Amino acid sequence: MCVTQVTPTLSLVLLVSAANAFYLPGVAPRQYADGERVEVKVHKLSSPKTQLPYDYYSLPFCKPEEVTRQAENLGEVMSGAIIQNSPYELYMGRSEFKIACRSVLDKKQKQNLATKVRQDYRVHMIMDNLPAATKMIAEMPDGTKKDMYDRGFRLGFMGSKDIPGTDANKPYINNHLRFIVKYHKSDTFPGARIVGFEVEAYSVKHEYTGEWNAKEPKLTSVPLRPELPPMPAWSPEVIFTYDCVWEHSDIAWASRWDLYLYMGDDQVHWFSILNSLVIVFLLSGIVAMIMVRTLRRDLAEYNSIEEKEELLEESGWKLVHADVLRTPPNATLLACSVGTGSQLLCMSAISIACAALGFLSPANRGSMLTVTLLLFVLMGSVAGYAASLTYKSFKGQQWKALTLLTAFLWPGITFGIFFLLNFFIWGKASSGAVPIGTFFALLCMWFIISFPLVWVGVWLGYRKTLADPPVKTNMVPRVIPSQAWYLHPLFTMVVGGILPFGAVFIELYFIMSSVWLQRFYYVFGFLALVLFILVITCAEMAIVLCYFQLCNENYLWQWRAFLNTGSAGLFLFGYSFVYFSGTLEIMGVVSTMLYFCYMFITSTLFALSTGTVGFLASWWFVLQIYGAVKVD
């Protein structure tokens, strides 16, 4: 069955009957009667060149008599969303031209407006929980064309010789908006449902006769004509106008998000899956050869009493049986890293599963980020439990230090970087700056919920009785012989990290585009498959490298197993430089710093997750092979 992008509300609509419908909050359809007002809300201003969102009314736009702000959830606040009412008056079925206002600009406002146009800012609005979109035509691989939506609409444009009536490299503002509202009618419900919200933005230098009369303005530029000059952003006054066009559509309300969530041809995602599967099959063949042929032969020979003395002189991995479970250096740090990695893996798996099932609909803005943060906090018990089991197997005794380190080390580093970056965002007066109240809420979640859960997880882990180790550990450690060049830690980290990164490389491009180019990402079915393949790839890669290391009588496998696959985070951070120079057009020191700091955090968390998989797989592998061999 082909896994494609799923209309988020469709999975909900299928659960209801036509007679007695039930919808989750925020995604229920609304019917509008003819002539009923349809409210347009303003969302924010955003730009892929600065990554700094701003309040819509930070620019001299028209305001209603009373500006009211809608309550936002945690995810919306952290993404810089400020949802407010607008002066635009739209009524179901009425197509009319209206004047919003005349805005007189001072020098600072003109400079701010011109700067935002140069930085390619886009305006975001909301109607009936649908984001405003610009219609685009995408050409498919088979030569056909398909409609798709781009989020928001451009604040303005830069003049050029190719645009009549404009000066090159001068900013012009789009001061006329044409709202194209698509509605759907059916005999099964009264009224009409809104299924599309398109905006066409135009730049028109309006003119009027006499002095400006706000009650009865007399524009000479109406009706709009192609020969009218565009509106310069440096003008002392700007007249904002809008009109509305209502179009009937056959699109059902349950399918109205399809154009928003279209992410290109599914063949690209399937290519990513097939590319990853090739890597998995290759590693599976190597692992099968080791497990079935080499290990079976080794175990048969090691367990042969007649040949035991002869083999002890030439054998490899069995010679380190008395050292293979020796406590590694910095055992507390390794255990807490494994705990945090387990926490991230559980959080990611549950979040992706919920999104794939349609519970985290983009209609509920900010729900994905909110749920992810809550799951990370609630998975603190998983972090404590995994860390304590690992630490107990290392025969560690400082459980209090382990608890504090698991609860505060990696979350503290992430929070510290985020907090410092927030000062720079505050300095830019961006709405993306997290308020003090939200910081306080995050700290409460961390200290009041997450930390106690970590403590509970550590307590449960220490109470659990571990199975007896398959081998005993000598008091005096064995001398590790000189290693071959291909077993150098740097080389094994390159080999161990590049294959897991290659397994997720293509899908990673779409994820980064959705974050940094502000596009929707809703192919979580593919993402779930990629996550599964990533786990398998990391586990098999770790087992192969661990086996080669033990065969060369190097029993310090714990940290090596974690770092071999955890180095995929280094490849991710390296790829961020390639993506920055080849795809993005970020300008400004603060924006560049935000990008690389956030990518550093992401790469670190990715390294913890992949390293945890590699360590756990190697741990299982070591227990299996040494549990099957006979040791005196």
Side-chain angles (χ1 to χ4, degrees):
M1 181 178 66
C2 180
V3 180
T4 61
Q5 58 269 19
V6 182
T7 304
T9 53
L10 181 59
S11 59
L12 302 177
V13 174
L14 293 176
L15 299 177
V16 303
S17 61
N20 186 19
F22 169 76
Y23 297 92
L24 293 180
V27 294
R30 176 179 176 181
Q31 288 75 239
Y32 293 89
D34 290 340
E36 182 179 356
R37 180 170 179 175
V38 180
E39 187 176 8
V40 177
K41 298 178 181 179
V42 294
H43 191 192
K44 63 179 178 180
L45 306 171
S46 68
S47 170
K49 291 185 177 182
T50 66
Q51 303 298 329
L52 294 171
Y54 284 91
D55 180 6
Y56 176 83
Y57 290 120
S58 64
L59 293 180
F61 291 129
C62 304
K63 293 184 178 181
E65 294 182 0
E66 181 181 358
V67 178
T68 58
R69 180 170 175 174
Q70 177 179 314
E72 296 98 10
N73 57 39
L74 181 61
E76 288 178 300
V77 172
M78 297 191 67
S79 62
I82 300 179
I83 302 174
Q84 302 164 101
N85 60 331
S86 74
Y88 300 107
E89 298 179 352
L90 276 63
Y91 299 91
M92 175 60 69
R94 295 184 187 176
S95 299
E96 51 189 348
F97 177 93
K98 287 188 177 182
I99 300 174
C101 73
R102 168 179 170 265
S103 182
V104 180
L105 311 182
D106 56 27
K107 182 178 180 180
K108 183 178 180 180
Q109 289 175 325
K110 288 188 290 185
Q111 290 177 348
N112 190 22
L113 190 61
T115 300
K116 292 295 189 295
V117 173
R118 288 192 179 95
Q119 293 174 342
D120 195 22
Y121 266 84
R122 301 182 70 86
V123 182
H124 299 273
M125 297 182 177
I126 300 171
M127 173 190 291
D128 192 47
N129 215 27
L130 276 180
T134 302
K135 187 177 180 179
M136 302 175 61
I137 306 297
E139 187 172 351
M140 306 299 291
D142 57 0
T144 60
K145 295 183 178 180
K146 179 181 177 65
D147 294 340
M148 62 177 297
Y149 282 164
D150 194 11
R151 298 173 70 178
F153 57 90
R154 297 182 67 186
L155 173 64
F157 62 93
M158 299 299 295
S160 68
K161 297 180 180 179
D162 299 330
I163 304 177
T166 63
D167 296 333
N169 298 322
K170 293 289 186 179
Y172 294 83
I173 183 174
N174 292 323
N175 59 325
H176 178 79
L177 303 181
R178 174 164 296 162
F179 299 113
I180 302 176
V181 185
K182 300 180 182 295
Y183 64 93
H184 178 74
K185 287 188 174 182
S186 175
D187 297 334
T188 58
F189 56 85
R193 295 176 177 176
I194 294 177
V195 295
F197 180 30
E198 301 174 10
V199 178
E200 294 180 355
Y202 300 93
S203 182
V204 181
K205 188 175 183 180
H206 287 296
E207 297 178 352
Y208 55 90
T209 58
E211 294 184 358
W212 177 259
N213 186 348
K215 295 183 178 179
E216 295 181 0
K218 298 179 180 179
L219 296 182
T220 60
S221 53
V222 178
L224 303 181
R225 301 178 299 276
E227 63 271 14
L228 292 173
M231 186 70 216
W234 65 89
S235 298
E237 65 175 12
V238 179
I239 299 175
F240 293 94
T241 58
Y242 65 98
D243 68 302
C244 185
V245 177
W246 299 86
E247 296 182 356
H248 182 269
S249 175
D250 294 329
I251 297 175
W253 183 86
S255 303
R256 66 178 187 165
W257 278 90
D258 285 0
L259 290 179
Y260 291 92
L261 304 180
Y262 177 72
M263 294 189 62
D265 192 4
D266 291 339
Q267 293 180 1
V268 178
H269 297 277
W270 279 117
F271 176 78
S272 172
I273 299 296
L274 293 176
N275 173 66
S276 303
L277 287 176
V278 169
I279 297 175
V280 170
F281 288 144
L282 175 64
L283 289 176
S284 298
I286 298 175
V287 172
M289 180 183 66
I290 293 174
M291 299 292 289
V292 176
R293 298 182 58 184
T294 308
L295 275 178
R296 180 178 295 179
R297 182 194 61 201
D298 289 349
L299 289 171
E301 293 176 345
Y302 288 152
N303 294 333
S304 174
I305 299 178
E306 298 178 354
E307 302 176 359
K308 181 173 294 187
E309 294 182 358
E310 178 183 354
L311 288 169
L312 282 175
E313 298 178 357
E314 60 181 67
S315 61
W317 59 268
K318 192 203 169 186
L319 284 180
V320 297
H321 68 85
D323 297 275
V324 73
L325 297 182
R326 188 176 300 279
T327 301
N330 300 314
T332 308
L333 177 60
L334 178 58
C336 89
S337 299
V338 171
T340 304
S342 302
Q343 182 181 13
L344 292 169
L345 288 170
C346 292
M347 176 202 72
S348 302
I350 298 175
S351 299
I352 293 174
C354 291
L357 294 174
F359 294 115
L360 300 180
S361 164
N364 292 323
R365 291 172 301 277
S367 60
M368 187 67 184
L369 181 56
T370 303
V371 170
T372 301
L373 289 173
L374 290 176
L375 283 174
F376 180 81
V377 170
L378 295 176
M379 292 299 108
S381 57
V382 175
Y385 188 76
S388 62
L389 285 182
T390 305
Y391 193 59
K392 190 174 182 179
S393 70
F394 294 158
K395 302 177 179 62
Q397 301 296 328
Q398 300 177 348
W399 65 272
K400 293 181 181 179
L402 174 70
T403 304
L404 294 175
L405 209 61
T406 304
F408 296 111
L409 177 62
W410 297 112
I413 293 175
T414 302
F415 184 86
I417 296 175
F418 180 72
F419 183 76
L420 291 176
L421 288 176
N422 206 59
F423 282 108
F424 293 94
I425 303 175
W426 269 330
K428 289 292 185 178
S430 170
S431 62
V434 178
I436 295 296
T438 304
F439 267 119
F440 181 74
L442 293 174
L443 288 174
C444 289
M445 292 169 57
W446 187 7
F447 284 88
I448 299 177
I449 301 176
S450 180
F451 175 63
L453 288 176
V454 171
W455 185 87
V456 170
V458 172
W459 182 75
L460 292 175
Y462 260 93
R463 285 177 57 89
K464 183 178 177 59
T465 303
L466 297 180
D468 294 333
V471 291
K472 295 181 180 180
T473 303
N474 289 339
M475 295 294 295
V476 180
R478 181 184 178 88
V479 177
I480 300 176
S482 59
Q483 301 292 294
W485 64 269
Y486 56 84
L487 290 177
H488 191 276
L490 292 179
F491 184 81
T492 58
M493 287 174 62
V494 170
V495 176
I498 195 169
L499 290 181
F501 175 77
V504 301
F505 168 73
I506 298 177
E507 203 65 29
L508 180 66
Y509 173 81
F510 290 99
I511 297 175
M512 293 183 65
S513 296
S514 69
V515 174
W516 300 112
L517 297 180
Q518 300 168 5
R519 299 171 182 171
F520 282 112
Y521 183 89
Y522 209 76
V523 283
F524 290 100
F526 284 114
L527 188 58
L529 288 176
V530 170
L531 177 62
F532 176 76
I533 292 173
L534 174 65
V535 171
I536 298 299
T537 305
C538 289
E540 294 181 340
M541 197 73 237
I543 290 174
V544 170
L545 294 177
C546 181
Y547 175 74
F548 289 152
Q549 180 181 344
L550 294 176
C551 284
N552 283 266
E553 301 177 20
N554 186 349
Y555 52 83
L556 299 177
W557 60 271
Q558 292 94 337
W559 270 111
R560 292 283 293 273
F562 185 89
L563 295 176
N564 283 342
T565 51
S567 61
L570 295 176
F571 287 94
L572 173 57
F573 190 62
Y575 174 69
S576 67
F577 287 85
V578 177
Y579 189 82
F580 178 85
S581 60
T583 304
L584 300 180
E585 299 178 359
I586 290 181
M587 56 176 62
V589 177
V590 174
S591 301
T592 303
M593 183 174 59
L594 288 177
Y595 171 79
F596 284 109
C597 285
Y598 284 146
M599 287 307 303
F600 173 77
I601 293 174
T602 304
S603 303
T604 302
L605 300 182
F606 186 67
L608 289 173
S609 302
T610 53
T612 298
V613 175
F615 171 80
L616 295 178
S618 299
W619 191 6
W620 172 85
F621 174 73
V622 168
L623 294 178
Q624 293 299 314
I625 62 173
Y626 285 98
V629 70
K630 294 179 182 179
V631 180
D632 293 337

